[in-house]
Amino acid sequence: MNSADRGRPVLLWGMMGVGKSAVARELQSITSLNVVDLDELIHKEHGQSPRALIRAFGLSKFRQLEANSLRSLLRAGSVDVVALGGGCLLDLSLIHI
């Protein structure tokens, strides 16, 4: 079964430190699902951790970067599970992707 057969991806969301990334890694290790940790993706894309980006550019700018990364990821349609940052869904426009 490929990603297109599965429908929309599952978004793991919760407070910082509750284990979203750990759950995502475990899902990836026991399934054939394509799993992405959004914080890790942002780190790869921008060369800095989310914490460093927030310090450097402020929370508002970081949320824009985060939203753009999530939009691109979801529009690509190749992901099954996404571990989100704790504040990611505060942008309600993301719900309608």
Side-chain angles (χ1 to χ4, degrees), residues 9 67-79 93-94 96-97:
N68 291 340
S69 292
L70 180 58
R71 278 188 194 95
S72 295
L73 185 62
L74 295 178
R75 285 184 180 139
S78 60
V79 65
S93 71
L94 294 173
H96 302 290
I97 295 175

Side-chain angles (χ1 to χ4, degrees), residues 49-60:
S49 70
R51 187 175 303 249
L53 290 165
I54 292 168
R55 276 196 301 260
F57 302 107
L59 185 58
S60 179

Side-chain angles (χ1 to χ4, degrees), residues 4 8 16 22 28 34-35 56 58-59 61 67 74 76 80 87-88 93 96:
R8 291 182 177 227
M16 182 173 60
Q28 192 156 30
N34 181 14
V35 177
L59 185 58
K61 177 64 176 172
L74 295 178
D80 299 308
C88 193
S93 71
H96 302 290

